[in-house]
Each structure stands twice: as C-alpha cells, then as structure tokens.
C-alpha cells in the first residue's frame, strides 16, 4: 500500500430473530412522522401521527465508504398498515447508480419493490431464505405484508451512498395494499 488506508477485518454477531447486531455502529428507527407523505392514505397517516409508530429499524456496521469495500446492515420492517397500505421502507436509489445490493430475507414475509428511472418495475416476494439481487440502477423498497417483522441482511458496495430525494419526489409506480385480507399490488 502506498497510503495509510489499510482495512482491518471486522466480525459481528447477528440475532437473526430480531435483526439486532451485537455491536452496531449505527442503529436507527424510522418513524411514521419521517415518511408519512409517502403513504397513499393521508387521512389515515394523519390519524396515526399522534402515536408516531416506528415503521422500520436499521442496524449497521459502518465500513469504509470506498469502491472495493462493502457495507452491511440488517433491515427490519415492522408489521402494520397505514390505512390499507402495508408498512414499508422509504426506498432509495444508490447515489452511485452503478452499484447493486443483495438482500437475504431471514424472517417474515413481504416484497421487494424495485424500479428504474426509465420506469421499469419489478417486485419479488421476500420469505425466509429468499435472496433478492437488486441490480445497479434500481431503486428498492421493502414492504412487510405479514404479521411479524420482515428481516433482511443487506450487503452493498462501500461507496454506494443513498439518494432518497428522487423517491420522495416521484414515489414508486406501484403500491402494496390489503384488499379482502390479502396483499394486492396496485398501480399508483
Ligand atoms: C441500504 C439498504 C438497506 C436500507 C434499509 C432502510 O442500501 O438498501 O439497508 O437502507 O432497508 O431503507 P431506506 O430506504 O430507508 O434506506
Ligand atoms: Zn440500498
């Protein structure tokens, strides 16, 4: 090496039942108040804002934000609905669009909703032991359609970064809502 950067190995224990890491560098809760505008039913969202429920949790190890390195985290989307729409993550593109991600679902049930800036949409079921590959250029959002937390182990390039702005502005082209007791994918 010609500079002072030299990464060291890191290990961590993961509680696959809860998604918690034994020594996270960062752990945060995303509450409804931080994303309520993303839900279809704004009246239902307003009613829930008093209680301001946690919609999802993320436990992260912070690793070098450099090409060639990887980031990893546990993503835990809680069960629940806002109106008829299931709890979901905000969703994002990676700031560096040419970066992919792998999600390994370890518990719960739901979907991974993916979309490109050109308007292609794909949705994949998430069940324990399902591994979803989110290619470069695809925005991604986890949606919990079950009664238990939807827990995934995520790995993505160190320098990927997160672009939330595009999704906050335009949203996704599909939603997952409960109709007659079942999850149904609808057009926005
Ligand atoms: C990071 C990865 C996940 C999400 C997490 C929360 O690239 O995709 O760790 O950060 O599922 O979702 P969001 O959309 O709020 O980042
Ligand atoms: Zn991502």
């Amino acid at each position: 090496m010609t500079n002072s950067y030299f990464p060291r190995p890191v290990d961590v224990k993961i509680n696959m039942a809860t998604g918690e890491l034994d020594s996270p560098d960062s752990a945060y809760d995303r509450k409804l108040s931080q994303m309520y505008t993303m839900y279809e039913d704004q009246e239902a969202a307003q009613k829930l804002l008093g209680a301001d429920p946690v919609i999802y949790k993320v436990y992260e190890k912070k690793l070098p934000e450099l090409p060639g390195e990887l980031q990893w985290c546990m993503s835990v989307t809680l069960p629940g609905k806002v109106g008829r729409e299931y709890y979901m993550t905000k969703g994002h593109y990676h700031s560096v669009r040419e970066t992919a991600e792998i999600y390994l679902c370890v518990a719960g049930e739901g979907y991974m909703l993916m979309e490109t800036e050109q308007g292609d949409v794909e949705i994949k079921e998430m069940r324990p032991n399902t591994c979803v590959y989110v290619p470069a250029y695809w925005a991604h959002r986890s949606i919990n359609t079950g009664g238990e937390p939807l827990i995934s182990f995520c790995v993505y390039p160190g320098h990927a970064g997160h672009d939330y702005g595009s999704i906050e502005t335009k949203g996704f082209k599909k939603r997952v809502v409960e109709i007659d007791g079942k999850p149904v994918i609808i057009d926005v």
Side-chain angles (χ1 to χ4, degrees), residues 13-173:
K13 296 254 179 327
I14 303 172
N15 181 335
M16 293 296 182
T18 65
E20 290 167 296
L21 306 183
D22 65 349
S23 55
D25 294 325
S26 154
Y28 66 87
D29 291 347
R30 186 78 77 194
K31 293 186 161 192
L32 180 63
S33 56
Q34 298 168 296
M35 62 176 300
Y36 68 95
T37 54
M38 296 179 146
Y39 284 93
E40 165 196 59
D41 185 341
Q42 284 301 297
E43 209 176 305
Q46 289 294 333
K47 282 188 186 148
L48 286 172
L49 274 180
D52 201 11
V54 174
I55 308 293
Y56 59 97
K57 298 166 175 278
V58 179
Y59 303 96
E60 296 172 317
K61 267 330 252 189
K62 294 281 184 191
L63 298 169
E65 294 179 358
L66 293 169
E69 298 288 353
L70 298 171
Q71 303 289 334
W72 84 64
C73 70
M74 295 301 292
S75 173
V76 181
T77 308
L78 298 176
K81 282 179 289 157
V82 177
R84 62 177 187 164
E85 189 170 12
Y86 295 98
Y87 280 9
M88 60 193 184
T89 60
K90 287 183 75 171
H92 58 270
Y93 288 95
H94 289 161
S95 306
V96 178
R97 293 291 194 269
E98 300 83 5
T99 55
E101 182 158 351
I102 284 176
Y103 276 73
L104 172 61
C105 178
V106 299
E109 57 188 86
Y111 290 100
M112 178 64 64
L113 172 61
M114 294 165 280
E115 185 171 317
T116 67
E117 286 167 303
Q118 289 70 39
D120 288 343
V121 180
E122 287 250 2
I123 190 156
K124 299 284 187 197
E125 267 194 3
M126 301 283 279
R127 292 282 185 280
N129 305 326
T130 300
C131 192
V132 173
Y133 179 66
V134 180
Y137 301 102
W138 288 76
H140 39 289
R141 161 179 283 169
S142 306
I143 301 163
N144 184 349
T145 57
E148 302 294 328
L150 174 65
I151 306 178
S152 299
F153 171 71
C154 318
V155 187
Y156 55 100
H159 65 309
H162 295 88
D163 169 7
Y164 291 101
S166 310
I167 293 299
E168 280 166 355
T169 311
K170 291 189 188 162
F172 283 85
K173 291 171 75 173

